[in-house]
Amino acid sequence: MQIDIDQIDLTGEVPVREPERQYYFMAKVSGYVKRRSEELGRPMTFCTQTFGCQMNSRDSEKLEGILEAVGFVQTDTEEADFVLYNTCTVRENANLKVYGRLGVLNSLKKKNPDMMIALCGCMMQEEDVVEKIKKSYRFVDVIFGTHNIYKLAELLYQRLEAKKMVVDIWKGTDQVVEDLPADRKYSFKSGVNIMFGCDNFCSYCIVPYVRGRERSRSPKDIITEIKGLADDGVVEIMLLGQNVNSYGKTLEEPVSFANLLSQADEVEGLERIRFMTSHPKDLSDELIETMKNSKKVCRHIHLPLQSGSSRILKLMNRRYTKEKYLDLVDKIRTAMPDISITTDIIVGFPGETEEDFLETLDVVRKVRFDSAFTFIYSKRTGTPAAKMEDQIPDEVIKDRFDRLLSLVQQISSEVCGREVHTVQKVLAEEVNDHKEGYLTGRLSSNTTVHFKGDPSLIGKIVDVYLDESKGFYYMGTLRP
Ligand code: 5AD
Ligand code: SF4
């Protein structure tokens, strides 16, 4: 359902139901944007900055869809009439970045009286953050969280009417509002939310507190969205959830993630399916079988390890052991020998000893990950780990981090070349900025390849011969 906001009757009552209510407010704000653009003699502009994970990127596409629907024009610079930061709080660094940039926004706002600044996303779900912004960053216009991004037009309207800061943060929700616009960054690929929130409560992680309880969308709504995307020219989708392997367990009629994948596999026109993220504790044999039998599900799995020490994994509340993780990798590789496995690893969790750390290195050596995101443990207030004794000194963490990174890089440069001298299916994604006449694309394994090609190929899946492995990427030649 897409509604033409120019046709909405603004004389009647404000609709109570969603998404009708939001379309009503979009029409209201659109009137304001139109009037003000005419007065200014130029279009009103917006700029979004997205921090953090793929979930936030997808949320930003929805926010941008609303802003475009009301008549704002997107720009890359923060010298815009509406600047929106979609924040992350998974590590302390992410928060510091936002505070730093708010100072810059304040000086821009002094030059442009029309400018409005909005903050949303995970960081805004933390009470102390919102208090700090209310006190020390009075120039911010709108603050909202992760549960009510669909309300952007309504909040914007409130701000225009009230002419003071609007704050709307929800502790949680069981509502999933469908059928609002979204502005996809790529015309040919898209994220699709299949679930929201997380119930795992890994002891270091703030996500369950800021994204709320796990909620799955109905398979019918998801498949309808995917069909719509495919009809619109999308060839690759990424199914998104904090833990896709527990998808559907709490639905009235429970459905497994593997079953959802099989349904997505049937969608005509769609050529590739990815998903993110898998929790090792819930990865089923059924899923491995479904992946193996599918031509569309990509040969890549992101399987966060976090630590290789069973003792630390227990303290992290991950609910698997080192041995179980290694067995799972074996099972996946037996079924799909060509699969690429990537991971996340945290260094310096409270109480991590040198022996624990060596266990992590041991898993890295045994699994030989295609790539690994390595993180320094960041203490997040409100999580159980923040209260644990024996926080690790910075210099010890730094030393371990460097050793881990160099091992991970060495292995991935060896592993990533395994498809060299073969022809692979590649989704051409963008013009290569560094090499004239070249395009950049992705293999099923998610590795990138640069090859000579015409921009008209972007969005198409083409055959590319991989001439040379450069460690983390390939140089290739287009095959006719
Ligand atoms: N400190 C460091 N890394 C963290 N992650 C989550 N919480 C923290 C934390 N407090 C990492 C995990 C997760 C990834 C998205 O971020 O590795 O998989
Ligand atoms: Fe955080 Fe664990 Fe949930 Fe991932 S599974 S979002 S690490 S609590």
Side-chain angles (χ1 to χ4, degrees):
M1 179 177 73
Q2 281 285 346
I3 297 172
D4 180 357
I5 58 173
D6 290 333
Q7 304 298 320
I8 292 175
D9 172 16
L10 293 176
T11 56
E13 298 261 304
V14 181
V16 179
R17 269 188 27 195
E18 300 292 3
E20 290 80 356
R21 184 178 173 88
Q22 295 313 312
Y23 280 98
Y24 172 89
F25 283 109
M26 279 187 237
K28 284 269 199 195
V29 177
S30 149
Y32 165 80
V33 172
K34 230 179 249 161
R35 275 194 309 280
R36 193 70 191 122
S37 299
E38 273 165 23
E39 286 162 14
L40 292 167
R42 61 164 178 85
M44 292 196 85
T45 54
F46 79 90
C47 170
T48 51
Q49 298 288 355
T50 308
F51 301 85
C53 67
Q54 315 251 6
M55 293 279 202
N56 266 16
S57 302
R58 180 64 182 150
D59 284 351
S60 288
E61 291 185 349
K62 294 178 183 172
L63 294 160
E64 288 161 7
I66 295 172
L67 291 169
E68 289 191 338
V70 301
F72 283 104
V73 174
Q74 188 162 21
T75 160
D76 292 342
T77 123
E78 291 183 355
E79 284 175 50
D81 299 304
F82 186 72
V83 176
L84 173 65
Y85 281 3
N86 189 3
T87 62
C88 167
T89 187
V90 76
R91 285 168 291 275
E92 179 71 19
N93 269 350
N95 293 35
L96 299 177
K97 240 189 260 171
V98 168
Y99 289 128
R101 293 174 67 148
L102 277 176
V104 180
L105 286 191
N106 190 19
S107 51
L108 289 176
K109 188 166 175 168
K110 285 186 181 138
K111 288 191 246 160
N112 176 3
D114 279 286
M115 185 172 175
M116 285 191 284
I117 299 168
L119 304 175
C120 68
C122 295
M123 193 177 151
M124 301 306 127
Q125 293 291 140
E126 291 180 274
E127 272 169 39
D128 54 333
V129 168
V130 174
E131 283 315 308
K132 181 168 169 167
I133 293 170
K134 279 199 215 158
K135 212 165 120 215
S136 312
Y137 298 83
R138 296 288 317 154
F139 56 90
V140 171
D141 295 283
V142 183
I143 303 177
F144 55 109
T146 54
H147 302 295
N148 52 351
I149 62 158
Y150 72 89
K151 269 185 74 179
L152 175 60
E154 182 171 347
L155 297 172
L156 214 72
Y157 181 72
Q158 273 179 21
R159 166 65 189 78
L160 290 169
E161 289 289 288
K163 303 205 167 36
K164 60 174 200 233
M165 188 193 269
V166 170
V167 181
D168 190 15
I169 312 282
W170 300 359
K171 285 231 176 312
T173 183
D174 48 15
Q175 204 181 0
V176 180
V177 177
E178 305 279 348
D179 294 324
L180 281 163
D183 172 36
R184 291 198 311 274
K185 189 166 169 219
Y186 298 94
S187 59
F188 53 87
K189 66 174 185 176
S190 178
V192 174
N193 296 109
I194 62 166
M195 59 204 299
F196 302 93
C198 180
D199 282 351
N200 289 310
F201 291 95
C202 300
S203 64
Y204 51 81
C205 185
I206 201 163
V207 169
Y209 307 92
V210 295
R211 288 257 169 197
R213 297 290 56 74
E214 192 176 292
R215 304 167 306 282
S216 295
R217 286 176 72 197
S218 83
K220 194 168 138 270
D221 287 339
I222 296 170
I223 298 299
T224 306
E225 180 177 343
I226 298 174
K227 280 185 178 152
L229 289 167
D231 288 345
D232 203 25
V234 167
V235 292
E236 179 178 303
I237 53 159
M238 164 91 82
L239 303 176
L240 297 170
Q242 301 295 350
N243 174 13
V244 293
N245 297 325
S246 66
Y247 169 78
K249 288 187 180 159
T250 52
L251 286 170
E252 242 166 65
E253 288 172 48
V255 181
S256 68
F257 177 57
N259 181 299
L260 179 73
L261 264 190
S262 311
Q263 292 187 47
D265 215 69
E266 307 275 303
V267 174
E268 234 169 272
L270 190 67
E271 301 199 49
R272 278 184 170 180
I273 305 171
R274 300 186 184 278
F275 55 85
M276 178 150 254
T277 292
S278 281
H279 193 307
K281 80 177 163 65
D282 297 312
L283 200 146
S284 67
D285 292 350
E286 186 198 8
L287 175 63
I288 298 176
E289 210 40 41
T290 306
M291 283 183 82
K292 181 181 160 179
N293 296 329
S294 163
K295 289 217 162 42
K296 293 184 184 171
V297 178
C298 288
R299 288 293 180 259
H300 171 220
I301 190 156
H302 187 66
L303 198 62
L305 167 68
Q306 313 300 6
S307 167
S309 152
S310 296
R311 193 181 76 84
I312 294 292
L313 285 169
K314 193 154 196 302
L315 290 172
M316 287 178 161
N317 193 29
R318 291 289 289 175
R319 286 172 275 176
Y320 54 86
T321 58
K322 173 186 181 186
E323 290 69 32
K324 260 185 133 166
Y325 187 94
L326 290 172
D327 285 350
L328 183 59
V329 167
D330 260 356
K331 223 181 331 181
I332 296 170
R333 288 228 170 102
T334 306
M336 293 165 282
D338 57 343
I339 197 162
S340 150
I341 303 181
T342 58
T343 200
D344 294 339
I345 300 170
I346 298 175
V347 175
F349 183 83
E352 183 189 73
T353 61
E354 177 64 17
E355 287 68 40
D356 292 319
F357 176 66
L358 292 176
E359 297 274 9
T360 299
L361 294 186
D362 187 45
V363 176
V364 170
R365 274 193 205 96
K366 287 195 164 108
V367 175
R368 296 178 64 74
F369 293 105
D370 286 73
S371 75
F373 295 101
T374 50
F375 303 109
I376 285 178
Y377 166 73
S378 171
K379 187 173 169 176
R380 306 312 287 127
T381 310
T383 62
K387 291 197 214 80
M388 289 180 188
E389 284 173 13
D390 207 3
Q391 304 275 332
I392 310 294
D394 286 351
E395 60 283 5
V396 175
I397 297 190
K398 175 89 179 54
D399 169 65
R400 287 181 193 161
F401 184 81
D402 291 346
R403 283 152 68 201
L404 174 66
L405 190 63
S406 89
L407 180 64
V408 158
Q409 286 179 343
Q410 180 212 321
I411 291 175
S412 70
S413 71
E414 292 162 14
V415 173
C416 280
R418 69 170 168 251
E419 293 130 323
V420 75
H421 305 318
T422 62
V423 176
Q424 295 287 331
K425 296 262 176 240
V426 170
L427 173 57
E429 297 197 343
E430 53 206 358
V431 169
N432 186 315
D433 286 339
H434 303 292
K435 228 170 140 99
E436 205 170 326
Y438 276 68
L439 301 177
T440 299
R442 261 172 216 281
L443 314 189
S444 174
S445 65
N446 211 31
T447 312
T448 46
V449 52
H450 308 297
F451 58 99
K452 220 180 234 171
D454 191 81
S456 63
L457 294 175
I458 289 173
K460 298 203 166 62
I461 294 191
V462 292
D463 286 327
V464 175
Y465 178 76
L466 307 177
D467 297 290
E468 193 185 352
S469 164
K470 294 277 196 183
F472 305 102
Y473 63 92
Y474 291 104
M475 295 307 295
T477 309
L478 191 65
R479 280 287 159 96

